Amino acid sequence: MTTHSQLLNVTGANLIAGRESRESSDRFTAFDPRTGDPGELAFPEATPAEVAQAADAAAEALDVLRAWPAARIAGLLRAIAAHLEDVGDALIHLADSETALGPERLAGERARTCAQLRAFASVVEDGWHHEAIIDHRDPQATPPRPDLRRMQTPIGPVAVFGASNFPLAFSVPGGDTASALAAGCPGVAKGHPSHPGTSELCARVILAAAEDVAAPSGVFSLVHGRGHEVGQSLVLAPQIRAVGFTGSYRAGRALFDLGAGRQDPIPVYAEMGSVNPVIVTRRALAARGEQIAEGFVASMTAGAGQFCTKPGIVFAPEGDEGLEFVGHVARLLRSAELGPMLNEAIWQGLGEQLAATAGIPGVETVVWGARGAQGFRIAPSLFKADAKAFVDHPQLRAEHFGPSALVVTVPDGALSDTISQLDGGLTATVHAEDDEADLADLRRLLEAKAGRLVWNGFPTGAAVTFAQHHGGPYPATTAPAHTSVGATAIRRFQRPIAYQDFPDSRLPAELRESNPLNIPRLVDGRWVDRQPPGTRKTESP
Ligand code: NAP
């Protein structure tokens, strides 16, 4: 059994099939976002050979996991959650030193990460994720049909790219890893270069959990990299069958193209961000404009604006209500105190983008986001433009990743034409009164633009539930049919197989006639739920 003192021992290593590996002398460090100073520990860039070893080990582990019962996969997920909690404040301090997100936020993120792992464990035990479907033979049908039974199976080893802005919930122990393992797929994570220590500690936690449940050592590996080569060789590794990614459009699209360009193309599920428009009606502003402004500022400045669901553009009606709203938001932003941004590249990139936006004709800078003197600090920004400027200048429709927002004032009757310019996004929010007429068209328009529609709320915080959809039309994601949050995130890492006219004894247990695993199934077009405990016949799978 791995002891906690061993677990906490971050040494600056790739972790490949349960062992430390440092083949390259090429090293990099994290940087403290509060000071800009480099960290003390150096991390080795993974070599192509190390990436290949990790992918090989994952392929070997796949065969073992395929034979595991659900309870054992669930046990692995729960053990990861337990170890993540057991490492205590050490994880929070380390993540804070690399991200400056603050202990409170990071403790909350760990709680979310653990809850997510446990939620996936429950889904696996329930068996719902197999999507078992049975169509019995029907000789009377026209044409007569055979016995067909279908279920989801693990797609194979999954490459996971950690995101800079969620060092836990969307990184090494995050949703992609949890859903890949839940599907029965081993994972190889490419740690984000902004938080290599956090990545390594979390990978050690996963390996300790793997040891607890006697999982094969290749079930999870971590490769470090601060250059594109490591991630690229991982996506090209022949054993990798799917990729989970959260980050920039540029990187997500490059990795998607790489996966598609392989001789055997693989899916790259890239979640690449969004402007998350908020539409506020005149009546909503008249009824509660100040309250909406408060909620908006809290949502837009959470995590220094570094959420993929940050509301970045507000469409407000032209006239007094809209101007008052801008005034409320500006007042709140001027007194907002924000932490530094995650890394120098994001900080520099936002600074350059803000300067370019401020120079666009028709754009008024209401609050200017000056850069701080130390570390990667920047104050919040607010811009205002009219609908014509918004339509004329596509740069205004691009995500400004950080504490910045744009209010577009829209004349009556021009809302549909204005928001039809938006690209596909993760979310869209409406603030309106419940009895307002004429919102049906707006809903239809937003359905074409976003994966989650929010009513009188704010989009930050994507709850981990069965019904969640954290995805959306391109360019928000490369796979609009899928979500990276919630129970159905598992589907990304599964592949259906249909069995035609197989004898019952040769079928997987999930599809046998007697339902020995007692899982929910769709039988001849109707959902048949599990039998309650105590009422079912037992049969060993
Ligand atoms: P990023 O640049 O997209 O990097 C994410 C991961 O992809 C890193 O591991 C990065 O490592 C790798 N990568 C980048 N370009 C690659 C390429 N061409 N080939 C292979 N791997 C590549 O994200 P970031 O560093 O977190 O932030 C940069 C920007 O991303 C932000 O300014 C923001 O616009 C956006 N962002 C979006 C979200 C979101 O939630 N959708 C989250 C964070 C950031 P290497 O550089 O070592 O290759």
Coordinates of all heavy atoms in Angstrom, one line a residue, residues 161-165 190-194 225-229 231-232 245-252 254-255 258 271-274 306-309 342-343 345-346 399 401 426, ligand 1:
F161 N -6.1 16.1 -21.8 CA -5.3 17.3 -21.7 C -5.9 18.1 -20.6 O -7.0 18.6 -20.6 CB -5.4 18.1 -23.0 CG -4.5 17.6 -24.1 CD1 -4.9 16.4 -24.8 CD2 -3.3 18.2 -24.4 CE1 -4.0 15.9 -25.8 CE2 -2.5 17.7 -25.4 CZ -2.9 16.5 -26.1
G162 N -5.0 18.4 -19.5 CA -5.5 19.2 -18.4 C -5.6 20.7 -18.8 O -4.9 21.2 -19.7
A163 N -6.6 21.3 -18.2 CA -6.9 22.7 -18.5 C -6.2 23.6 -17.5 O -6.1 23.2 -16.3 CB -8.4 23.0 -18.5
S164 N -5.7 24.8 -17.9 CA -5.0 25.7 -16.9 C -6.0 26.2 -15.9 O -5.5 26.4 -14.7 CB -4.4 26.9 -17.7 OG -5.4 27.6 -18.4
N165 N -7.2 26.4 -16.2 CA -8.1 27.2 -15.3 C -8.8 26.3 -14.3 O -9.4 26.9 -13.4 CB -9.1 28.0 -16.1 CG -9.9 27.2 -17.1 OD1 -9.6 26.1 -17.4 ND2 -11.0 27.7 -17.5
K190 N -1.8 14.5 -20.3 CA -0.7 15.4 -20.6 C -1.0 16.6 -19.6 O -2.0 17.3 -19.8 CB -0.8 15.9 -22.0 CG 0.4 16.6 -22.6 CD 0.2 18.1 -22.4 CE 1.5 18.8 -22.8 NZ 1.3 20.2 -22.4
G191 N -0.1 16.7 -18.6 CA -0.3 17.7 -17.6 C -0.2 19.1 -18.2 O 0.5 19.4 -19.2
H192 N -1.0 20.1 -17.6 CA -0.9 21.5 -18.1 C 0.4 22.0 -17.6 O 0.7 21.9 -16.4 CB -2.1 22.3 -17.7 CG -2.1 23.6 -18.5 ND1 -1.2 24.6 -18.3 CD2 -2.9 23.9 -19.6 CE1 -1.5 25.6 -19.2 NE2 -2.5 25.2 -20.0
P193 N 1.2 22.7 -18.5 CA 2.5 23.2 -18.1 C 2.5 24.3 -17.0 O 3.5 24.6 -16.4 CB 3.2 23.7 -19.4 CG 2.1 23.8 -20.4 CD 1.0 22.9 -20.0
S194 N 1.3 24.9 -16.8 CA 1.2 25.9 -15.8 C 1.1 25.3 -14.4 O 1.4 26.0 -13.4 CB -0.1 26.7 -15.9 OG 0.0 27.6 -17.0
G225 N 4.8 18.3 -20.3 CA 5.3 18.9 -21.5 C 5.0 20.4 -21.5 O 4.0 20.8 -21.0
R226 N 6.0 21.2 -22.0 CA 5.7 22.6 -22.1 C 6.0 23.0 -23.6 O 6.5 24.1 -23.9 CB 6.6 23.4 -21.2 CG 6.3 24.9 -21.1 CD 7.4 25.7 -20.6 NE 8.7 25.2 -21.1 CZ 9.9 25.6 -20.7 NH1 10.0 26.5 -19.8 NH2 11.0 25.1 -21.2
G227 N 5.8 22.1 -24.5 CA 5.9 22.3 -25.9 C 4.9 21.5 -26.5 O 4.4 20.5 -25.9
H228 N 4.5 21.8 -27.8 CA 3.4 21.1 -28.4 C 3.8 19.6 -28.7 O 2.9 18.8 -28.9 CB 3.0 21.8 -29.6 CG 2.5 23.2 -29.4 ND1 2.2 23.7 -28.2 CD2 2.4 24.2 -30.3 CE1 1.9 24.9 -28.3 NE2 2.0 25.3 -29.5
E229 N 5.1 19.3 -28.7 CA 5.4 18.0 -29.2 C 4.9 16.8 -28.4 O 4.4 15.8 -28.9 CB 7.0 17.8 -29.3 CG 7.7 18.7 -30.3 CD 7.8 20.1 -29.8 OE1 7.6 20.4 -28.6 OE2 8.2 21.0 -30.6
G231 N 2.1 16.7 -26.5 CA 0.7 16.5 -26.7 C 0.5 15.9 -28.1 O -0.4 15.1 -28.3
Q232 N 1.2 16.4 -29.1 CA 1.0 15.9 -30.4 C 1.4 14.4 -30.5 O 0.7 13.6 -31.1 CB 1.9 16.7 -31.4 CG 1.3 18.1 -31.6 CD 2.2 19.1 -32.3 OE1 3.3 18.8 -32.6 NE2 1.6 20.3 -32.6
F245 N -10.1 17.2 -24.2 CA -9.3 18.4 -24.2 C -10.2 19.6 -23.7 O -11.4 19.7 -24.1 CB -8.8 18.7 -25.6 CG -8.2 20.1 -25.7 CD1 -6.8 20.3 -25.5 CD2 -8.9 21.2 -26.0 CE1 -6.2 21.5 -25.6 CE2 -8.4 22.5 -26.1 CZ -7.0 22.6 -25.9
T246 N -9.7 20.4 -22.9 CA -10.3 21.7 -22.5 C -9.2 22.8 -22.6 O -8.2 22.6 -22.0 CB -10.9 21.7 -21.1 OG1 -11.8 20.7 -21.0 CG2 -11.6 23.0 -20.8
G247 N -9.5 23.8 -23.4 CA -8.5 24.9 -23.5 C -8.8 25.8 -24.7 O -10.0 26.1 -24.9
S248 N -7.8 26.3 -25.4 CA -8.0 27.3 -26.4 C -8.5 26.8 -27.7 O -8.3 25.6 -28.0 CB -6.7 28.1 -26.6 OG -5.8 27.1 -27.2
Y249 N -9.1 27.6 -28.5 CA -9.6 27.2 -29.8 C -8.4 26.8 -30.6 O -8.5 25.7 -31.3 CB -10.3 28.4 -30.5 CG -10.6 28.1 -31.9 CD1 -11.6 27.3 -32.3 CD2 -9.7 28.6 -32.9 CE1 -11.9 27.0 -33.6 CE2 -9.9 28.3 -34.3 CZ -11.0 27.5 -34.6 OH -11.2 27.2 -35.9
R250 N -7.3 27.5 -30.5 CA -6.1 27.2 -31.4 C -5.6 25.8 -31.1 O -5.4 25.0 -32.0 CB -5.0 28.2 -31.1 CG -4.0 28.3 -32.2 CD -3.1 29.5 -32.1 NE -2.9 29.8 -30.7 CZ -2.3 30.9 -30.2 NH1 -1.9 31.8 -31.1 NH2 -2.1 31.1 -28.9
A251 N -5.4 25.5 -29.8 CA -4.9 24.2 -29.5 C -5.9 23.1 -29.8 O -5.6 22.0 -30.3 CB -4.5 24.1 -28.0
G252 N -7.2 23.3 -29.4 CA -8.2 22.3 -29.6 C -8.4 22.0 -31.1 O -8.5 20.8 -31.4
A254 N -6.1 22.4 -33.4 CA -4.9 21.7 -33.9 C -4.9 20.2 -33.5 O -4.6 19.4 -34.4 CB -3.7 22.4 -33.3
L255 N -5.4 19.9 -32.3 CA -5.4 18.5 -31.9 C -6.5 17.8 -32.6 O -6.3 16.6 -33.0 CB -5.6 18.5 -30.4 CG -4.4 19.1 -29.6 CD1 -4.7 19.1 -28.1 CD2 -3.1 18.2 -29.8
L258 N -5.2 17.0 -35.9 CA -4.2 15.9 -35.8 C -4.9 14.5 -35.7 O -4.5 13.6 -36.3 CB -3.4 16.2 -34.6 CG -2.0 15.6 -34.5 CD1 -1.1 16.2 -35.7 CD2 -1.3 16.0 -33.2
E271 N -13.2 21.0 -25.9 CA -14.1 22.1 -25.4 C -13.3 23.3 -25.4 O -12.3 23.4 -24.7 CB -14.6 21.6 -24.0 CG -15.7 22.5 -23.6 CD -15.2 23.5 -22.5 OE1 -15.2 23.2 -21.3 OE2 -14.9 24.6 -23.0
M272 N -13.7 24.3 -26.2 CA -12.7 25.4 -26.5 C -13.2 26.8 -26.1 O -12.6 27.8 -26.4 CB -12.4 25.4 -28.0 CG -11.9 24.0 -28.5 SD -11.6 23.9 -30.3 CE -13.3 23.9 -30.9
G273 N -14.3 26.8 -25.4 CA -14.6 28.1 -24.8 C -15.7 28.8 -25.7 O -16.2 28.3 -26.7
S274 N -16.1 30.0 -25.2 CA -17.4 30.5 -25.6 C -17.5 32.0 -25.1 O -16.9 32.3 -24.1 CB -18.4 29.6 -24.9 OG -19.7 30.0 -25.0
Q306 N -11.7 33.6 -15.7 CA -11.1 32.5 -16.4 C -11.9 31.3 -16.4 O -11.4 30.2 -16.0 CB -9.7 32.3 -15.9 CG -8.8 33.5 -16.1 CD -7.5 33.4 -15.2 OE1 -6.4 33.4 -15.8 NE2 -7.6 33.4 -13.9
F307 N -13.2 31.4 -16.7 CA -14.1 30.3 -16.8 C -14.5 30.2 -18.3 O -14.8 31.2 -18.9 CB -15.4 30.5 -16.0 CG -15.2 30.1 -14.5 CD1 -14.0 30.2 -13.9 CD2 -16.3 29.8 -13.8 CE1 -13.9 29.9 -12.5 CE2 -16.3 29.5 -12.5 CZ -15.0 29.5 -11.8
C308 N -14.6 29.0 -18.8 CA -15.1 28.8 -20.2 C -16.6 29.3 -20.3 O -17.1 29.5 -21.3 CB -14.9 27.4 -20.7 SG -15.5 26.2 -19.6
T309 N -17.3 29.3 -19.1 CA -18.7 29.7 -19.1 C -18.8 31.2 -18.6 O -19.9 31.6 -18.3 CB -19.5 28.8 -18.1 OG1 -18.8 28.8 -16.9 CG2 -19.7 27.4 -18.7
L342 N -3.8 33.2 -14.7 CA -3.2 31.9 -14.4 C -1.7 31.8 -14.9 O -0.9 31.1 -14.3 CB -4.0 30.8 -15.2 CG -5.3 30.5 -14.6 CD1 -6.3 29.9 -15.6 CD2 -5.2 29.6 -13.4
N343 N -1.4 32.4 -16.0 CA 0.0 32.3 -16.5 C 0.3 33.5 -17.4 O -0.6 34.3 -17.7 CB 0.3 31.0 -17.2 CG -0.6 30.8 -18.4 OD1 -0.8 31.7 -19.2 ND2 -1.1 29.6 -18.6
A345 N 1.3 33.8 -20.4 CA 0.8 33.9 -21.8 C -0.7 34.3 -21.8 O -1.1 35.1 -22.7 CB 0.9 32.5 -22.4
I346 N -1.5 33.8 -20.9 CA -2.9 34.2 -20.8 C -3.0 35.7 -20.5 O -3.8 36.5 -21.1 CB -3.7 33.4 -19.8 CG1 -3.8 31.9 -20.3 CG2 -5.0 33.9 -19.5 CD1 -4.5 30.9 -19.4
E399 N -14.0 35.3 -27.8 CA -13.9 35.2 -26.4 C -12.7 36.1 -25.9 O -11.6 36.0 -26.5 CB -13.6 33.7 -26.0 CG -13.4 33.5 -24.5 CD -13.0 32.0 -24.2 OE1 -12.4 31.4 -25.0 OE2 -13.4 31.6 -23.1
F401 N -10.7 35.9 -22.8 CA -10.6 35.0 -21.6 C -10.0 35.8 -20.5 O -8.8 36.1 -20.5 CB -9.7 33.8 -22.0 CG -9.6 32.7 -21.0 CD1 -10.7 31.8 -20.8 CD2 -8.5 32.5 -20.3 CE1 -10.6 30.8 -19.9 CE2 -8.4 31.5 -19.3 CZ -9.5 30.6 -19.2
L426 N -21.1 27.6 -25.5 CA -21.5 26.6 -24.5 C -22.9 27.0 -23.9 O -23.7 26.1 -23.6 CB -20.5 26.6 -23.4 CG -19.1 26.1 -23.8 CD1 -18.1 26.3 -22.7 CD2 -19.1 24.6 -24.2
Ligands
NAP1 P1 -4.0 26.0 -24.4 O1 -3.0 26.9 -25.0 O2 -5.1 25.6 -25.2 O3 -3.3 24.7 -23.8 C1 -3.9 23.6 -23.3 C2 -3.1 22.4 -23.5 O4 -2.9 22.1 -24.9 C3 -1.7 22.5 -22.9 O5 -1.3 21.3 -22.3 C4 -0.8 22.9 -24.1 O6 0.5 22.5 -23.7 C5 -1.5 22.1 -25.2 N1 -1.3 22.6 -26.5 C6 -1.5 23.9 -26.9 N2 -1.3 24.0 -28.2 C7 -1.0 22.8 -28.7 C8 -0.8 22.3 -30.0 N3 -0.8 23.0 -31.1 N4 -0.5 20.9 -30.1 C9 -0.5 20.2 -29.0 N5 -0.8 20.6 -27.8 C10 -1.0 21.9 -27.6 O7 -4.7 26.6 -23.1 P2 -4.2 27.5 -21.9 O8 -2.7 27.5 -21.8 O9 -4.9 27.0 -20.7 O10 -4.7 28.9 -22.2 C11 -4.6 29.6 -23.4 C12 -5.9 30.2 -23.9 O11 -6.9 29.1 -23.9 C13 -6.6 31.2 -23.0 O12 -6.1 32.5 -23.2 C14 -8.0 31.0 -23.3 O13 -8.4 31.7 -24.5 C15 -8.2 29.5 -23.6 N6 -8.7 28.7 -22.5 C16 -10.0 28.2 -22.7 C17 -10.5 27.4 -21.7 C18 -11.8 26.8 -21.7 O14 -12.3 26.5 -20.7 N7 -12.3 26.5 -22.9 C19 -9.7 27.1 -20.6 C20 -8.4 27.6 -20.5 C21 -8.0 28.4 -21.5 P3 1.7 22.9 -24.6 O15 1.7 24.4 -24.7 O16 2.8 22.4 -23.7 O17 1.6 22.2 -25.9

